[in-house]
Amino acid sequence: MRQPKGMPISCSKTGIHPDGASWRRMKMEFEMHLLPLLPLRDIVVFPGMVVPLFVGREKSVAALESAMAGDKDIFLLAQLDPGCDDPDGDDLYEVGVIATVLQLLKLPDGTVRVLVEARQRARLVDLRQESGANGELMVAGVEPIEPVAASGSEVEGMMRSVVEAFGEYAKLNKKLPQDAGENLGDIADASALADAVAAHIQAKVADKQAMLTEEDPLKRLEMAFSFLEGELGVLQVERRIRGRVKRQMEKTQREYYLNEQLKAIQQELGGGDDGEANEIQELQDKIDKLKLSKEARAKANAELKKLKTMQPMSAEATVIRNYLDVLLGLPWGKKSKLKRDIPAAQAVLDDDHYALDKVKDRIIEYLAVQARTNKLKGPILCLVGPPGVGKTSLGKSIAKATGRQFIRQSLGGVRDEAEIRGHRRTYIGSLPGKIVTNLRKAGTSNPLFLLDEIDKLGQDFRGDPASALLEVLDPEQNAKFQDHYLELDIDLSDVMFVCTANSLNLPQPLLDRMEIIRLEGYTEDEKVEIAERHLVAKQVEAHGLKQGEFTLTTEGLRDLIRYYTREAGVRTLEREIARLARKSLRQILEGKATSVVITPQNLGEYAGVRKYRFGEAEEEHQVGAITGLAWTEVGGELLTIESVTVPGKGGIKTTGKLGEVMNESVQAAFSFVKSRSPAYGIKPSLIARKDIHIHLPEGAVPKDGPSAGIGMVTSIVSTLTGIPVRKDVAMTGEVTLRGRVLAIGGLKEKLLAALRGGIKTVLIPEDNVKDLVELPANITSSLEIVPVAHVDAVLERALVTMPEPIEWTEADDLATPPGMVPGASTGEVPTAH
C-alpha cells in the first residue's frame, strides 16, 4: 500500500529520518532501486512482454535518455488518468514493472520510439524529481517483487483451463495473431502463464492493473480465466449475429452495412458529416425560398425529413435526393415576361416567314386577347402540312414573337406512355416524363412547347402515348397534370402548346383538343420569294461566299423550281441552291471565275440534267388517258389514269397497286357507265364483249381513295367511244352510282400540283367551291377552275367532243351477229371471240 500523505517513505539527503525511523527501515532504503520513471497512458505492461512505445513528454524522453546512459533499466508505471500530462505520486498506480530498453529511435517530429522488454514486477516506494543531462526527469525508488511459486493439482487444472479458454478466445478474436495461443501450452510456470494471457486480453486498464498487482499466480490465473469466459461469451454472440446477418444480407444490405462501417470510421477519424449536413441545409433553403404549391411544399418537406434519417450512401437516399432535385428544379412561380406589342410581333412573323397568313393571323389574335385580358389559357395549335413548309421553324418564330422560351420535343417513334408521364419511383432508374423534364430545362412555367411529328406516335404493350397526351393538351385538365414520377399536380395552363403533323392520322379525341391549322404548301411565286429572302442568303453564308461572288437570278431560280424540284415545301429547293453554291465556290477557288451568275441559260451546267417536265401534262389529246389529282403527305401530285379495251366478257381489271377504296370507286364508275351507256353513244353489247383494263402508272406506289371517281368514268367513256380527252384538263371528285360528283379533301394541294404540271383547266366538285375563298389569288387566277355537280358536266368539258346518244333495246343485242362487234359496218374491224 502507498503511504498516506505527510508520512515520507524515503530518507532525506542527510540520511536521518525526521520521525526517527528504525534501523530496519534504513536497511530497506539501501536495498531500494532508483530507476528513471516512464509513466504509461492506456497500457499496462506485464513481465515477459516486449512492447514498442512512442514517447513525447519531455520528462519521459529525459528518463529514457538517462536509462540509455546507465544500465538501460527503466521503471514502467501506468497512470490513473491518461489525460494527465505531468503526473505525480497521486496520479500513478503503485505496482509496475522493471524493463530494459532494447532500442531507442528519435523521430523527426521530436517524439521517441522505444522498444522495451519487461522483466520483473516492482512496487513504487519513492518518487522524486531530479535534473539530468537532458533536463528534468522523474526518478522512482522501487522495490522488486519476487515471483511467487505455485504448484499443485489445482494450479495445474487452472493452467489447462486458461490455455484452453485462451485458444478459443484467439480463434474468435480476429485482432489477435493466429499463432497467439499455440505457445502457451509450453509455459510450465503459473506466474508466467498468467502474465502472458493477461498481456493479450482486451480489458480495461484498471482490470489489467489489478492482475498486475496480484502476486498470487493462482488468483491471477482465476482472474484471467474469468475475463476470458466473459470475452468468449461476447465473441460467441457476435459470431452468431454475424453468421445470421450474413445469411440474410442481400447486396443492398451488405452495401448498407459497409457504409455504416465507413461512416463510423470517418467519425473516428474526425471526418464528420459536414458534406451531408451542408447538402441537407441547401435543400432546406431551396424549399423555403421557392414558391412551391401547398401540396409540393408538404411533399418536399416530408421527403427531406426521410432523407435526414437515412445514410447518405444508401440506395433509397439516392432515390430521394434525385426526386428532390427534380421537384425543386421545376420553375415554380417563374414566368417569362410576355410581349404584348402586336405590330412588333407581326413584324417578327413576317420577317421569319413569307406567306402563311392564316397561322400569323391566329397568333396575332391570341396576342390581342392576352393584351386585353391579361390572362388566357395557352392555345393548343396543330400545324398540319407536308414536309418542308416551315412548321417547326414557325414554332420558333411564334416563341420569339410572344416572348416565350422555346422547347421542342420530337414525338416520332415514341411508343411508351412513360415518355409522357414518367416512370413511378418504384422502378430502378426511374425518371420524370418529357413534359416535366423540358419544363425544368426551360426554367419558366410559360414556355412554348413544340410537340413535333405528333402523327408519328406509336403504341405497343407499354401503353399508348397518344392517350397520355389527352390530359396534356386539354386546357380544362392540364392545370392539374400529374407525372407518375412526381405524383404532384403540375400547372400546364400557362404553357402554349404547338403541335406539328404531316397528316391528320390521329385519334379523334386528340384531334378534338387541338385547333387545326393547315399549311398546304407554297406556290411557285411564294417559293421564289422565300428563296430570295432566306434560302439563297443562308447558303451563301454557309458556304463562305463573299458579297457578289454568287448570284441566282429570278428567272434562273424559277427554272430551278420548275425543272429540279417537285415538292410542297422548300427543302429540296434549299439543297439544290446549296449544290449551285458548292459548284460556284469550286470554280472561284480554281480560278476559273471571279463571280458566278446563275441564269436559265447556264443553269444546266451547275444543276445537271433536268429532273422534271414542266408544262403540258400530256403532249397531245389521247383516248383513255386522264390526268387526275392526288393528295399525299408531301403535297399534291398529278395522277395519270389509263384504260384500254381487250376482248372479253364485260369484266374490268385494275393494276397499279390500288387500295380497296379505289377499287370500289372503279367498280362504281364502271357500273355507272354501263347503266348510262346508250346516253354516251355506247352499245351495251360492246361492253358485254369487251374487258376494260384500268392502270395507274408508278405501280410501286400505293394508291387509294375515292377522289379519282370522275377520272375513272371519263377514262372508261373515252376508251369505249374512242373520243380523246383534252390534254390540258385535270379533274378530281368522287362519283356515285347516279353520277353525282361529291366533295373531296386536300383541294389546295391538288390545285398546286395542277399549277406545277402546267394544267390549264381543273374540274372540281361543286361542293368544294366554298374552299376556294381561302386559296391565294395567284392560284385561282392562274387556273380555270370549273365546278361540276354531275358526270355529264365532266364529260362535256373533258372530252374533245361530246358523244351522241343512241337508241338501243334488247332486240338490238339479239340482232348482232355472233363474232361481230357492233359498229363494224362503220369501218370497225371485226374481232373473233
Side-chain angles (χ1 to χ4, degrees):
M1 295 294 293
R2 187 178 298 168
Q3 299 292 334
K5 284 187 178 181
M7 182 178 293
I9 59 174
S10 63
C11 59
S12 64
K13 293 181 180 179
T14 58
I16 302 175
H17 254 285
D19 55 359
S22 63
W23 286 102
R24 180 176 174 274
R25 201 169 189 85
M26 297 271 299
K27 181 181 179 183
M28 180 181 128
E29 180 180 310
F30 286 112
E31 294 177 353
M32 178 178 63
H33 294 264
L34 293 176
L35 297 173
L37 173 66
L38 180 60
L40 304 178
R41 305 176 194 254
D42 293 328
I43 186 172
V44 177
V45 181
F46 289 87
M49 290 178 61
V50 177
V51 184
L53 300 172
F54 288 90
V55 181
R57 289 181 285 192
E58 294 180 358
K59 291 183 178 180
S60 300
V61 173
L64 284 172
E65 291 177 344
S66 176
M68 292 300 291
D71 56 2
K72 297 187 179 182
D73 285 346
I74 194 167
F75 185 52
L76 307 179
L77 191 59
Q79 295 180 197
L80 289 166
D81 181 12
C84 180
D85 289 333
D86 190 12
D88 57 12
D90 294 332
D91 298 319
L92 300 169
Y93 285 102
E94 185 178 359
V95 176
V97 293
I98 299 173
T100 302
V101 179
L102 300 178
Q103 187 180 13
L104 186 142
L105 176 64
K106 291 185 178 181
L107 301 178
D109 58 355
T111 59
V112 175
R113 184 181 184 277
V114 62
L115 189 67
V116 297
E117 180 182 11
R119 299 199 316 269
Q120 184 181 7
R121 284 178 172 77
R123 182 177 286 105
L124 179 64
V125 178
D126 184 21
L127 184 62
R128 65 184 68 173
Q129 184 171 318
E130 294 183 356
S131 297
N134 297 301
E136 299 288 333
L137 72 150
M138 301 294 292
V139 178
V142 300
E143 178 184 354
I145 300 175
E146 296 298 330
V148 179
S151 60
S153 58
E154 184 178 0
V155 174
E156 185 69 24
M158 183 56 67
M159 290 175 65
R160 291 181 181 178
S161 299
V162 168
V163 171
E164 184 178 353
F166 187 81
E168 291 293 327
Y169 176 77
K171 291 179 182 178
L172 295 175
N173 193 340
K174 303 299 182 183
K175 296 181 181 180
L176 292 178
Q178 295 181 353
D179 58 347
E182 295 179 359
N183 299 327
L184 292 181
D186 299 333
I187 301 176
D189 183 59
S191 178
L193 179 62
D195 289 341
V197 172
H200 290 92
I201 293 177
Q202 293 181 352
K204 297 179 181 179
V205 173
D207 295 334
K208 284 197 169 186
Q209 183 64 39
M211 295 179 67
L212 181 65
T213 305
E214 180 57 54
E215 298 181 11
D216 187 356
L218 182 58
K219 290 184 179 181
R220 290 210 306 276
L221 286 172
E222 291 175 353
M223 294 173 67
F225 186 71
S226 176
F227 282 122
L228 286 172
E229 287 292 317
E231 286 295 314
L232 279 173
V234 173
L235 291 173
Q236 287 172 352
V237 170
E238 287 183 356
R239 184 175 66 174
R240 288 198 300 271
I241 292 174
R242 282 199 303 268
R244 186 166 62 249
V245 170
K246 185 177 180 181
R247 288 190 301 270
Q248 296 174 351
M249 269 202 319
E250 296 178 350
K251 182 179 180 180
T252 56
Q253 293 172 322
R254 184 166 63 253
E255 290 178 354
Y256 175 78
Y257 177 72
L258 295 174
N259 287 325
E260 283 292 306
Q261 287 188 334
L262 180 61
K263 181 181 176 183
I265 293 171
Q266 289 175 344
Q267 289 177 342
E268 289 295 327
L269 294 174
D273 295 331
D274 293 340
E276 181 187 1
N278 292 338
E279 181 185 9
I280 292 177
Q281 186 60 44
E282 288 178 5
L283 292 173
Q284 186 65 62
D285 292 342
K286 281 187 180 180
I287 294 173
D288 296 338
K289 291 178 182 178
L290 289 176
K291 297 179 181 179
L292 300 172
S293 64
K294 185 177 179 181
E295 181 188 13
R297 189 175 299 277
K299 183 72 172 176
N301 285 323
E303 294 293 328
L304 185 62
K305 185 177 179 182
K306 286 195 291 187
L307 182 62
K308 290 178 181 178
T309 61
M310 293 181 178
Q311 299 306 316
M313 302 301 291
S314 64
E316 186 64 23
T318 304
V319 172
I320 293 179
R321 195 178 292 110
N322 291 339
Y323 175 83
L324 287 174
D325 286 342
V326 174
L327 177 60
L328 301 180
L330 289 175
W332 298 99
K334 297 179 183 178
K335 293 185 179 180
S336 300
K337 186 177 180 181
L338 301 182
K339 297 178 182 178
R340 300 179 183 178
D341 190 343
I342 294 177
Q346 182 73 56
V348 169
L349 294 174
D350 289 339
D351 289 343
D352 290 346
H353 290 82
Y354 180 76
L356 305 179
D357 295 329
K358 190 189 301 185
V359 186
K360 295 177 184 177
D361 289 343
R362 179 64 186 90
I363 301 305
I364 298 303
E365 290 166 6
Y366 160 70
L367 290 176
V369 177
Q370 179 180 269
R372 175 58 65 90
T373 62
N374 201 27
K375 174 63 179 176
L376 180 67
K377 289 185 178 179
I380 298 171
L381 307 178
C382 183
L383 308 178
V384 180
V389 296
K391 300 185 295 295
T392 303
S393 61
L394 187 60
K396 293 181 181 179
S397 297
I398 296 172
K400 182 180 176 183
T402 56
R404 295 173 180 267
Q405 291 289 331
F406 178 74
I407 302 173
R408 175 184 172 273
Q409 178 60 52
S410 177
L411 298 178
V414 173
R415 55 181 64 250
D416 188 358
E417 178 212 1
E419 293 285 338
I420 308 299
R421 291 186 177 274
H423 300 83
R424 300 193 183 277
R425 281 196 291 161
T426 52
Y427 298 105
I428 297 175
S430 57
L431 291 171
K434 297 298 184 184
I435 303 297
V436 171
T437 301
N438 284 303
L439 264 184
R440 184 182 176 196
K441 186 188 301 182
T444 61
S445 59
N446 60 343
L448 185 141
F449 208 121
L450 182 71
L451 298 173
D452 212 2
E453 309 291 354
I454 195 171
D455 58 326
K456 306 300 189 299
L457 283 171
Q459 67 179 78
D460 60 7
F461 64 93
R462 290 169 291 189
D464 183 8
S467 300
L469 283 174
L470 294 178
E471 181 184 7
V472 176
L473 300 180
D474 191 341
E476 301 300 325
Q477 299 180 32
N478 62 13
K480 293 186 178 296
F481 170 71
Q482 277 227 351
D483 187 273
H484 287 161
Y485 182 81
L486 289 178
E487 297 179 337
L488 291 172
D489 289 340
I490 306 297
D491 187 3
L492 301 179
S493 60
D494 290 328
V495 179
M496 183 176 182
F497 287 99
V498 177
C499 307
T500 70
N502 295 130
S503 68
L504 292 179
N505 186 22
L506 291 167
Q508 187 59 39
L510 192 58
L511 282 174
D512 187 55
R513 285 162 166 77
M514 299 184 293
E515 181 177 347
I516 306 299
I517 299 178
R518 290 186 175 273
L519 285 72
E520 291 85 356
Y522 298 115
T523 64
E524 181 180 298
D525 293 338
E526 288 173 343
K527 289 182 180 180
V528 170
E529 285 291 333
I530 292 170
E532 290 182 342
R533 292 188 183 192
H534 303 288
L535 302 183
V536 175
K538 179 181 176 182
Q539 293 303 323
V540 166
E541 182 182 356
H543 290 81
L545 289 164
K546 298 178 181 178
Q547 186 72 25
E549 288 185 336
F550 176 77
T551 304
L552 179 58
T553 64
T554 303
E555 293 76 13
L557 178 60
R558 199 174 291 274
D559 276 11
L560 185 68
I561 295 170
R562 289 175 176 177
Y563 300 111
Y564 294 90
T565 68
R566 186 62 60 87
E567 58 174 347
V570 292
R571 282 211 181 105
T572 305
L573 176 59
E574 185 174 9
R575 284 195 291 270
E576 292 296 329
I577 294 173
R579 175 193 289 186
L580 300 181
R582 288 195 303 272
K583 290 184 178 295
S584 301
L585 180 61
R586 177 182 175 181
Q587 285 195 357
I588 293 172
L589 294 179
E590 289 177 349
K592 296 180 180 179
T594 56
S595 63
V596 176
V597 178
I598 306 294
T599 63
Q601 289 72 29
N602 64 355
L603 178 62
E605 300 175 13
Y606 294 90
V609 180
R610 291 182 177 183
K611 300 178 181 178
Y612 302 101
R613 195 169 51 126
F614 182 82
E616 302 295 336
E618 296 292 343
E619 294 181 355
E620 58 184 13
H621 306 319
Q622 294 189 14
V623 175
I626 304 296
T627 301
L629 298 174
W631 177 93
T632 68
E633 291 186 2
V634 295
E637 290 288 343
L638 296 180
L639 183 69
T640 303
I641 303 172
E642 301 175 346
S643 63
V644 295
T645 57
V646 294
K649 297 182 180 180
I652 191 164
K653 180 181 180 181
T654 60
T655 55
K657 204 172 185 181
L658 309 189
E660 184 179 352
V661 176
M662 184 168 280
N663 273 312
E664 291 177 353
S665 180
V666 171
Q667 296 291 339
F670 189 46
S671 297
F672 170 75
V673 172
K674 287 195 292 186
S675 68
R676 294 285 306 275
S677 58
Y680 298 139
I682 304 170
K683 296 179 181 180
S685 58
L686 174 65
I687 298 176
R689 296 184 177 114
K690 292 279 187 178
D691 283 349
I692 297 178
H693 182 178
I694 296 179
H695 175 69
L696 277 72
E698 298 185 24
V701 180
K703 308 168 189 71
D704 206 353
S707 64
I710 61 174
M712 301 292 182
V713 171
T714 305
S715 179
I716 293 172
V717 171
S718 173
T719 301
L720 293 174
T721 61
I723 300 175
V725 180
R726 297 180 184 275
K727 63 181 179 179
D728 58 349
V729 174
M731 61 189 70
T732 179
E734 181 179 354
V735 70
T736 68
L737 289 175
R738 293 179 296 165
R740 291 180 57 229
V741 180
L742 302 183
I744 47 85
L747 181 62
K748 182 180 179 181
E749 290 91 339
K750 292 178 179 179
L751 293 180
L752 284 173
L755 191 61
R756 288 195 300 266
I759 300 295
K760 302 299 182 182
T761 305
V762 179
L763 309 181
I764 67 169
E766 194 172 66
D767 292 340
N768 285 108
V769 173
K770 63 183 185 300
D771 299 326
L772 297 177
V773 178
E774 299 180 355
L775 297 181
N778 59 348
I779 296 181
T780 55
S781 62
S782 302
L783 295 171
E784 181 187 358
I785 301 175
V786 181
V788 292
H790 196 272
V791 170
D792 291 347
V794 174
L795 296 175
E796 186 177 346
R797 293 302 300 262
L799 298 179
V800 173
T801 59
M802 192 66 181
E804 294 291 334
I806 61 172
E807 296 292 336
W808 191 261
T809 62
E810 293 183 3
D812 294 327
D813 285 336
L814 296 174
T816 304
M820 229 19 195
V821 177
S825 59
T826 61
E828 190 169 331
V829 179
T831 303
H833 287 284

